[in-house]
Amino acid sequence: MFDHAYGSYMKYAYPADELMPLSCRGRVRGLEPNRGDIDDSLGKFSLTLIDTLDTLVVLNKLDDFEDAVRKTVREVRLDNDVVVSVFETNIRVLGGLLGAHVMADHLRQRGERMQWYEDELLHMAKELGHRLLPAFNTTSGLPYPRVNLRYGVLNPLSRTGTESDTCTACAGTMILEFAALSRLSGEAVFEEHARKALDVLWEKRQRGSDLVGTVINIHNGDWVRRDSGVGAGIDSYYEYLMKAYILLGDNVYLERFNIHYSAIMKYISQPPLLLNVHMHNPTVSVRSWMDSLLAFFPGLQVLRGDLKPAIETHEMLYQVTKQHKFLPEAFTTEFRVHWGQHPLRPEFAESTYYLYKATGDPYYLRVGQSIVEKLNAYARVPCGFAAVQDVRTGTHEDRMDSFFLAEMFKYLYLLFSEKSQLPFDIDDYIFTTEAHLLPVSLSTTQPPSPISLEEDLFTYSCPSTQTLFPNNPSFAKTIRDSYKYLTGVGRAFHPLPVSNTSEKINRVASLEHTESLVCIIVFNPISIIQLLQEHKGVYRVKLVAEVSQTPEEEEVVPHIVQLISPPFLGRTVLTAGPAKFGMDLTKQEHGVSSASPYTACGPIDNAAEVKGHIALALRGDCMFAGKARRLQEAGAIGVIFIDHREGSNSEETPLFQMVGDGDSTTDISLPLVFLFSREGAVLTAALEEHHNVDVLLLPKERQLGHGEGEQQSQQQYCTKASENESTEPCSAAVLSPLDSSQSPNSNSSCDPLTLTIRQQPPNTGPVSVSQWHVPQSPHCPRWSHNGPCLHVNNR
């Protein structure tokens, strides 16, 4: 895959900055239609080539690396009259040059390759660093967002310098590259400027919440956008605080990161979700969607050693990719598409790599496999890999960003490879946000200064994962399982049954000189065996528990919404999906009149209409569980969710099981089912025509009209008790008042009705007649134009 992507760039695009994979040509800034801020990455400096250099080494393509370094040194110019993003140029070009220099120097020192190399890439990096420095010429020390590579910022020819704002990540993602450049070149000015920018962001944090906003004024330090999260606009600011401590050994960065991290986990992290909040009022969520850039955060949590929330959020993201093939650029808290683009971003693959290295769980290899398969199936084109314009339609965009080669293939290759297969020790390096490799040997040698914070287990992370989670992939599985079907894609999960057995023993292990209880876990099947020492060298073995193996996935039990009031009388049956929380409808069906649809993401304004009814709620904008709680509080006795996606239906879309929001759902006791759009339209049309419609919610196999009588091929007949013995087949019993002289317009709600059922087996046997006196249901209209109605249990 890498050969196809890199080979296509070199064949069709080089020396242009990027490949246009649909057009099979290079993207040259000024020759193609302007794409706004996206084009700020392009500086006419063969961006993709430089960004890919150290990936070639990781993939052991050392001949290609040597050739690419020669091309870079001979042909790439950095003094072009072009305005570029300071942030993008720093992480992609400066980081690419530094990472490639580190690799070239490593190969040179091994004495096998690159003997001709004389630090040319480092000299280019230093030149570029000086071309970026004018951006820091502000009163605050925060950099301008753009710089002209030839003329700087304030020069009349620079065409930049009028900007007043920059994003937090843009100003706070310089320290790794600039500090590495200072320490490799001996010029301290770069690290000093990057550190000052971080100091300003730290001082401008909201002191009450310890959060930062998304956009800040570079001249006076005032916040322009005060929403706070871990995604676009802020993401790599947090990443660089943690990694600056790892790379540089300065405890100040770790102290700041830990304070921010506590705030993130208190206000932004709502496992498995990561929601933006207002930095001054952090208990208020400011939007109901998340952006795909936050997918890096589980990887950062792994670096800190906080695996549980990392596993939870990663699993949520994986479920979204199952539903949409790729991570949409933004998706709602109910995991529907908010922005449909997918520019082949690597952050999800990055976190998958970190989690596999931390847990050793082969589950994450399977996640990586799914990434590979989807890229090949849906993004590969004859001239490379094309970004996805809309994950809902699968349409392509004529775009292959440099980070696809710099990051995606690096993380995927490292995920599937062994350390021994790499030409260097990966543990000696740290990844920048663009996955360029910088050696941790750059850290200072002086002892770390004391930290003023109260230290916790993870204060000096990275932790030893072998100490915290030694060879225990099941650790991650136990956390993932509760989020396994978060988006509804897949099948119902049932916990593995545990049987207490004392007789069956699968394996006995003999141990010597054991002084206390020993628990041995034996896999396939899993047994927990207790060994108790009775005499020296003699042990009594007792099987404490055995966990039987069952298939990991089971079918979703189809449910139905059956319309039973006149004129439907059970003939209209709508296929529905079940929920993992609320009333268990496999044990008890439920039914009553339905109320009109609501979004149910805020206060229920018309609770009087909802009370005592099954309410209809449109999917979208917030979680299923949140809607259910609000409607339950309003007095609803059930909820039918209807898909907001127009045209969806149960024939073309697999049923799924609705799951909770990550919190306990034991407080939700309502019966809950889900209808796709087309089935929901049938129900809402019935409501519009008849105002109230009686429905039953129950498993499909138990729908009325398909019980034991039908299985025995018996025909059911019904009559009105006040008429003669003539019979007619029908799908529901026809009822009449017990006193036939009573007026049909009676207002009595307790008048009993007589139900007469005549059954006759086909061609044989006598007619069976049974008669029942039953009260009317209090939830039905007392009388309708088709007669009274009641609810009859299907037994």
Side-chain angles (χ1 to χ4, degrees), residues 477 481 484-485 491-496 552 554 580 657:
K477 184 179 186 302
D481 280 346
K484 191 170 184 181
Y485 301 107
R491 299 170 179 172
F493 171 77
H494 299 281
L496 298 174
E552 189 177 15
E554 298 182 13
K580 287 193 70 173
Q657 190 171 35

Side-chain angles (χ1 to χ4, degrees), residues 734-746:
V734 179
L735 309 162
S736 68
L738 182 65
D739 181 0
S740 59
S741 64
Q742 185 176 3
S743 167
N745 296 319
S746 169

